[in-house]
Every structure is written in C-alpha cells, then in structure tokens.
Amino acid sequence: MNESLDAWFAREILVHEQALAYFLRRCWPHRDELHDLRQEVYVRVYEAAGKALPTMPKSFLFATARHLMADRVRRSRVVSIEAVGDFESLNVLIDEVTPERWSSGRQILKRLAEAFDRLPDRCREVVWLRRVEELPQKEVAMRLGISEKTVEKHVAKGVRLLAEHFYGDGVPVADARNGAAQAENGNGHGQQQTD
C-alpha cells in the first residue's frame, strides 16, 4: 500500500467519518446497509485518489456518497427477466411506499421548501423558472430582463445555497441572502447586466 496515500486518506477523508455517517443515515432508508454503504464510499474515494488526489476532498467524499446512493437506487429498479418468471405478478397499479419512506420524503421536501424560501429573491425566481418550470436560459433572461450569464450565475448560486442548507458545508442560506441583496442593489433589478 502507498503510505502517503494512506496518510492523505486518514487526514483528509476519515476525519469526516461522523459527518458522512450522519449524512448517510439521513439520506439512505435501509439502516442495515449503512455500514457497507460507508465502506463502499471509502473504497471508491481511495481508488479515485490513487489515480489523482481530489482538490476538494470533503466535497469529493460527499459527491461520491451521493453518486453511490443514486447508483444503488438505479440498480434496485432494474428487474431481471429470468428472476421474475411470472409476469402477472408484476401487474401492480400502486407503488407501495413504506411509511418511513413517505415520512422521509416529506421531511426532505419540507427542508427543500425552507431552503428555497431563503434564497435571495432574484435567485429564487431564476431557479424556479429554470429548474421547476424548465424554461430555456434565453427565455428566463428575456423574461427577467437580465443577461444569460446572470441567469447562469443565479442558478449556480441557488444550487450551491440549497446544497449548503442540506449538507451544512458553508454560509447559512439566510446570510448569503443579505450579501446577494447588496449585490442585486448595485446592479438594479430591471437592467441588463453585462458580466
């Protein structure tokens, strides 16, 4: 084993073990899989770091965890034709959702709504139009009287602030709102920016 890689891993990754465990407990519904999931995250991070050390290890760690959970969800939805056999049993009209998953989903949705409400006004408006209404960037820019580059910046900022609210890695969303309001006042609401 590479001793310098091991030292890097202990110094940059394992120090976040408690935060990672909390994150996985909060996001992954199957408690009995948490230990294995955490170990698989560590394996993926270690293998990737063996090729090239990430510049932002903590962010890389949590991104790896999110990707791993997404991979597992995708794999769980794939049904092998050989394993099924009886296609009549698949003729189900209602997707059964456990009370735990329903409650967890409601809590996540509530947290997302709270974080979304805390976004700066213009940022919230842009994120809503781009991500919820799925309007093209050019149309959002024309509708709001801002440049397309400003639309990009607001979307990036909104996503970052929402992530910070969920994962607690940075400035609270409410604090960022004050700074954004000051920046917004300097640009004017109805004027097109030339960033």
Side-chain angles (χ1 to χ4, degrees):
M1 285 193 182
N2 184 343
E3 287 186 34
S4 62
L5 180 59
D6 290 347
W8 173 89
F9 189 79
R11 184 181 66 250
E12 298 292 339
I13 300 299
L14 290 181
V15 296
H16 304 296
E17 184 168 15
Q18 187 176 7
L20 177 63
Y22 176 73
F23 171 72
L24 294 174
R25 272 195 314 274
R26 204 176 63 213
C27 297
W28 191 250
H30 309 291
R31 298 283 181 236
D32 57 325
E33 297 176 4
L34 290 176
H35 178 75
D36 291 339
L37 192 64
R38 188 173 73 224
Q39 294 306 314
E40 193 169 341
V41 169
Y42 286 152
V43 167
R44 286 186 178 193
V45 169
Y46 190 89
E47 288 175 349
K51 296 173 186 165
L53 292 178
T55 56
M56 296 171 44
K58 184 177 182 182
S59 297
F60 184 73
L61 173 67
F62 284 92
T64 302
R66 284 190 300 277
H67 292 157
L68 176 59
M69 287 185 285
D71 289 347
R72 284 193 172 197
V73 168
R74 272 194 299 275
R75 272 188 266 139
S76 71
R77 291 182 180 162
V78 175
V79 178
S80 170
I81 293 176
E82 293 84 24
V84 173
D86 180 18
F87 289 104
E88 289 300 316
S89 65
L90 292 179
N91 203 7
V92 179
L93 297 177
I94 300 173
D95 182 20
E96 294 182 29
V97 178
T98 64
E100 294 83 13
R101 287 187 67 191
W102 184 84
S103 176
S104 174
R106 299 273 301 174
Q107 290 172 355
I108 290 171
L109 187 58
K110 181 181 179 203
R111 289 187 63 217
L112 179 60
E114 289 170 354
F116 188 76
D117 287 342
R118 292 180 181 162
L119 289 176
D121 293 338
R122 179 53 63 103
C123 185
R124 183 174 58 242
E125 190 175 11
V126 170
V127 170
W128 180 268
L129 292 172
R130 284 289 290 135
R131 298 296 185 212
V132 178
E133 293 188 19
E134 298 181 337
L135 294 178
Q137 183 170 304
K138 190 172 190 171
E139 187 174 336
V140 172
M142 287 188 325
R143 186 181 285 195
L144 299 177
I146 58 178
S147 70
E148 287 187 55
K149 187 170 184 91
T150 302
V151 170
E152 287 177 20
K153 287 180 180 180
H154 279 300
V155 169
K157 180 179 185 173
V159 170
R160 179 179 47 80
L161 292 173
L162 291 172
E164 287 173 358
H165 178 78
F166 269 85
Y167 307 115
D169 282 348
V171 179
V173 174
D175 293 345
R177 182 179 201 161
N178 296 335
Q182 292 169 354
E184 193 78 40
N185 290 337
N187 296 328
H189 275 296
Q191 300 171 355
Q192 185 155 341
Q193 296 179 355
T194 58
D195 292 343

